[in-house]
Amino acid sequence: MKSSERSFARRIDLTSLQLFVAVCELGSIGRAAEREFIAASAVSKRLSDLEAAVDTQLLYRHSRGVTLTPAGESLLHHARAVLFGLERMQGELSEYAEGVRGHVRMHANISAIVQFLPEDLGQFARAHSQIKIDLQEHLSPDVLSAVHEGAADLGICSVGSSNGNGAAAELQSRPYRSDHLMLIVPQGHALSAREAIQFDEVLDWDIVGLHAGSSISLAMRAAAARAGRPLRQRIQVTGLDAMCRMIDNGLGVGLLPDRAFALMQGVGRLAAVRLDEPWARRELRLVARDFDALPVTARLLVEHLTPTISPSP
């Protein structure tokens, strides 16, 4: 290593890199300081020292937070790679430690969180009380991006809904669970007595849907495009319970996974009709950058979640 390279390495400390990544992820020095349990002034000083070390501006500071300069974008990419390498090293060494302690960062879509993860993570927490799980809900494409960028160790989402997201091709994935989409209508609705229905018939009705980037919304839009018909999605909500309440009050019909609808019983007077489409059967997958390189705590969680796979019919 050249002396100039050694000098640069000595000027960069890992704590500053971790804080830099936290600020970038949250878009705010204050929120990053709160998450990392450090004073905002100390974070600001670390960032200023980091900019001095690399001799260039990394962040644009404004009243609403911070945004990255082009140099900051480059450093964020390299910082995540460095921190991921350290996590891989920690994963390999942690097996030699006595006992297993640590935390796992996981992002998952709403279908996984509502239908399966409460029970699965509850069982894991009871068996491994010393391991903390940081779980966040995101849209499937955002889950893939977070895992790809190193913001999450693991993700659970509908990989097929990535809609061209290049991150999916670079990640490893394993089956987790599957579900089937149902058409949800008010009791007494003209479609409520049907046992099954095709989606082109659903297009005759106003639709209550989740936000545009959700896997269900993306699947509906693709199906409507194939049918050459408009999607009459008049109302968009962010939660499954809100969707059910809207449908119960006659504001439209909607699609929900079968288990999610079963868990929503009591939210309204609703009926479910099986959606008779190949894309209605969905597979939720567990994703990671490299399953073998995960810290031992994350690998324990993967091992716990993997046996829960239900065999495909």
Side-chain angles (χ1 to χ4, degrees):
M1 181 183 292
K2 297 178 181 179
S3 60
S4 60
E5 293 174 342
R6 287 197 298 269
S7 177
F8 178 78
R10 289 167 182 164
R11 295 198 305 268
I12 305 297
D13 69 274
L14 295 176
T15 300
S16 295
L17 285 182
Q18 290 174 322
L19 292 174
F20 173 72
V21 171
V23 169
C24 294
E25 290 175 351
L26 299 174
S28 164
I29 291 175
R31 287 196 292 271
E34 183 178 352
R35 190 182 81 176
E36 300 297 324
F37 302 102
I38 187 173
S41 58
V43 176
S44 182
K45 177 64 165 58
R46 287 273 188 174
L47 295 177
S48 296
D49 291 345
L50 187 58
E51 288 178 321
V54 299
D55 196 25
T56 189
Q57 184 179 0
L58 301 172
L59 299 167
Y60 297 120
R61 295 162 173 82
H62 45 78
S63 58
R64 294 185 178 180
V66 298
T67 53
L68 287 165
T69 67
E73 293 278 4
S74 178
L75 179 61
L76 178 60
H77 169 75
H78 291 293
R80 281 173 166 158
V82 169
L83 296 175
F84 176 71
L86 287 172
E87 288 180 1
R88 180 172 181 173
M89 180 175 67
Q90 186 272 337
E92 294 175 356
L93 294 176
S94 63
E95 295 178 341
Y96 296 97
E98 184 176 350
V100 177
R101 299 180 183 275
H103 77 282
V104 182
R105 301 168 303 159
M106 173 182 283
H107 289 192
N109 66 6
I110 190 172
S111 294
I113 289 176
V114 169
Q115 297 183 101
F116 308 114
L117 282 175
E119 291 80 9
D120 289 346
L121 294 184
Q123 293 171 359
F124 181 81
R126 288 188 289 273
H128 304 281
S129 59
Q130 72 276 34
I131 299 176
K132 305 304 179 185
I133 300 172
D134 178 8
L135 175 64
Q136 296 183 28
E137 177 195 322
H138 291 281
L139 300 175
S140 289
D142 295 334
V143 172
L144 294 169
S145 295
V147 175
H148 180 258
E149 294 170 359
D153 303 308
L154 298 171
I156 296 180
C157 62
S158 300
V159 176
S161 68
S162 58
N163 198 27
N165 188 328
E170 299 182 29
L171 298 176
Q172 296 180 2
S173 73
R174 298 178 181 180
Y176 171 57
R177 294 289 188 96
S178 63
D179 59 26
H180 195 102
L181 294 178
M182 310 290 286
L183 175 68
I184 310 304
V185 300
Q187 288 183 5
H189 188 276
L191 300 176
S192 61
R194 299 279 295 272
E195 291 186 3
I197 191 170
Q198 293 188 323
F199 189 66
D200 58 354
E201 298 178 77
V202 179
L203 293 171
D204 295 331
W205 303 87
D206 288 343
I207 292 175
V208 179
L210 296 173
H211 27 59
S214 69
S215 57
I216 295 177
S217 289
L218 292 173
M220 286 196 299
R221 291 185 183 281
R226 289 193 296 270
R229 298 181 59 188
L231 184 70
R232 292 162 49 180
Q233 187 163 315
R234 308 299 190 194
I235 298 176
Q236 289 183 324
V237 296
T238 58
L240 303 185
D241 54 345
M243 177 191 291
C244 289
R245 292 184 61 195
M246 292 288 183
I247 297 172
D248 180 43
N249 283 278
L251 296 172
V253 302
L255 298 186
L256 279 183
D258 46 4
R259 178 169 167 78
F261 176 69
L263 294 169
M264 291 290 161
Q265 292 298 325
V267 175
R269 296 160 297 176
L270 303 171
V273 181
R274 184 177 180 84
L275 187 62
D276 188 14
E277 298 286 352
W279 53 268
R281 173 109 179 147
R282 309 184 311 158
E283 185 179 28
L284 298 173
R285 296 188 70 86
L286 190 65
V287 296
R289 294 172 71 172
D290 184 344
F291 284 107
D292 292 334
L294 288 171
V296 65
T297 50
R299 293 204 303 272
L300 281 173
L301 180 56
V302 170
E303 291 170 5
H304 173 78
L305 295 175
T306 302
T308 65
I309 302 168
S310 300
S312 301

